[in-house]
Amino acid sequence: MSCTLCPRHCAVERGQTEGNGVCRMGTLPKIARAALHMWEEPCISGKRGSGAVFFSGCGLRCIFCQNEAISQRGEGEIVSIERLADIFRELEAQGAHNINLVTAAHFAPAVIAALDLYRPNIPIVYNSSGYESLETLRMLEGYIDIYLPDFKYIDPEMAGLLSGARDYPDVAKAAIAEMIRQTEPAVYDSEGMMLRGTQIRHLVLPGLTGDSMKILTYIKDEWPEVPVSLMGQYTPYGKALTMPGMNRKLKKKEYARVLAHMDAIGLLGYRQELEAAGENFIPAFDQTGV
């Protein structure tokens, strides 16, 4: 296939098992882990865990990605459409609150085909960098119950420096608006688990608290009823270890400043504890459940 699934629009030919685009993936899903995951927001992980399916490859390739082993080095195992459908069924049987598709944009047609084979009776979560093509999101309409996008950058220069995507701010704004259109206002069950809706994540980066506050203000102005998950888990990793300014953890006073702004403008959502930062929170990408 000549691929234009993500905003890079590489238009390269992707075979079933190999590809030369930014994601470096073929068209068959490559998965590094499929297991109950307890480290999402309370309304996603709940008490039993989210059924997280970690896909290999990524069209964004942030220099600080903690999932670098799969997003950039491509570790994982290639599976058939039928096997992907079985993985959904198995996670549901294990008691997962939902099926959590982590970085699946470049495998969207395969995900749709698998869901056509077996649609679990639990919500389907699309866990995304926010760097999404509108055309691909529209393909997914009706298949996704919950969108969980990042809103990483509002400054094109930082987006270009850290993710090689100067267009990220405009792309993410349009993508998140489309996600919200599809899911409408958030719906929760009696235990506070999200059944439908969009929740925006933002990871505060060291030295960029001003940008974080601009992002939160933008969300409040554009989508005031959408819950936000503010994260302080930044841990220097990969290429970021050699970049001045990015080679350190977030300071408590930096995070406190952004938290105070979130409270001041009245944004709904979650506030992550700084103790959640560290490599011990990175899942083992050892093909568990694949």
Side-chain angles (χ1 to χ4, degrees):
M1 63 174 287
S2 178
C3 187
T4 57
L5 287 173
C6 88
R8 301 286 189 185
H9 287 169
C10 297
V12 300
E13 292 296 323
R14 291 171 63 192
Q16 286 192 326
T17 60
E18 296 180 349
N20 294 317
V22 173
C23 70
R24 302 288 191 269
M25 293 290 118
T27 58
L28 284 176
K30 193 172 187 180
I31 301 171
R33 183 178 179 86
L36 298 179
H37 188 66
M38 299 302 300
W39 300 335
E40 306 287 29
E41 289 77 6
C43 67
I44 302 296
S45 287
K47 296 178 180 178
R48 300 192 304 272
S50 178
V53 182
F54 289 89
F55 292 89
S56 303
C58 180
L60 192 56
R61 303 173 71 84
C62 305
I63 68 163
F64 53 85
C65 183
Q66 293 185 15
N67 294 351
E68 180 194 34
I70 60 173
S71 66
Q72 299 180 35
R73 298 203 302 271
E75 296 178 8
E77 182 176 330
I78 296 171
V79 301
S80 65
I81 303 298
E82 293 76 14
R83 176 59 192 144
L84 182 58
D86 284 343
I87 287 171
F88 297 160
R89 190 192 310 270
E90 290 164 8
L91 289 170
E92 181 182 29
Q94 291 170 33
H97 287 288
N98 45 62
I99 300 299
N100 187 349
L101 308 170
V102 184
T103 317
H106 46 297
F107 295 124
V111 167
I112 290 170
L115 288 171
D116 283 339
L117 286 177
Y118 181 70
R119 175 63 186 252
N121 293 311
I122 51 178
I124 307 299
V125 180
Y126 191 79
N127 193 330
S128 160
S129 70
Y131 194 61
E132 299 283 347
S133 158
L134 292 180
E135 292 76 14
T136 298
L137 290 175
R138 289 167 185 155
M139 286 171 48
L140 291 164
E141 186 168 5
Y143 289 93
I144 304 302
D145 301 295
I146 298 168
Y147 281 105
L148 197 59
D150 292 340
F151 193 156
K152 294 179 183 290
Y153 314 107
I154 202 161
D155 178 4
E157 295 301 322
M158 293 311 302
L161 178 66
L162 301 178
S163 296
R166 293 191 77 262
D167 60 343
Y168 179 95
D170 289 338
V171 168
K173 289 174 184 176
I176 293 171
E178 172 63 17
M179 294 173 185
I180 294 169
R181 181 196 70 78
Q182 289 185 21
T183 62
E184 300 180 337
V187 177
Y188 302 87
D189 68 13
S190 59
E191 297 181 349
M193 297 300 300
M194 185 177 274
L195 301 176
R196 185 173 180 82
T198 298
Q199 180 167 268
I200 303 170
R201 287 172 161 174
H202 175 65
L203 174 66
V204 183
L205 298 174
L208 295 177
T209 56
D211 287 31
S212 290
M213 290 190 289
K214 288 178 182 177
I215 287 171
L216 297 180
T217 298
Y218 183 90
I219 294 170
K220 178 65 176 179
D221 290 344
E222 295 294 321
W223 311 301
E225 301 305 317
V226 174
V228 172
S229 179
L230 189 69
M231 301 186 295
Q233 68 184 32
Y234 178 81
T235 301
Y237 202 79
K239 296 177 182 177
L241 288 168
T242 63
M243 178 176 285
M246 298 299 293
N247 58 355
R248 65 170 176 86
K249 289 187 177 182
L250 190 66
K251 295 177 181 177
K252 288 184 179 181
K253 64 180 181 181
E254 289 177 307
Y255 194 49
R257 184 182 179 210
V258 181
L259 279 172
H261 180 71
M262 184 175 180
D263 290 338
I265 63 176
L267 268 182
L268 306 170
Y270 299 96
R271 285 88 165 150
Q272 187 183 52
E273 300 294 331
L274 280 181
E275 288 72 17
E279 293 187 22
N280 55 314
F281 287 95
I282 300 173
F285 299 123
D286 55 5
Q287 286 79 67
T288 293
V290 179

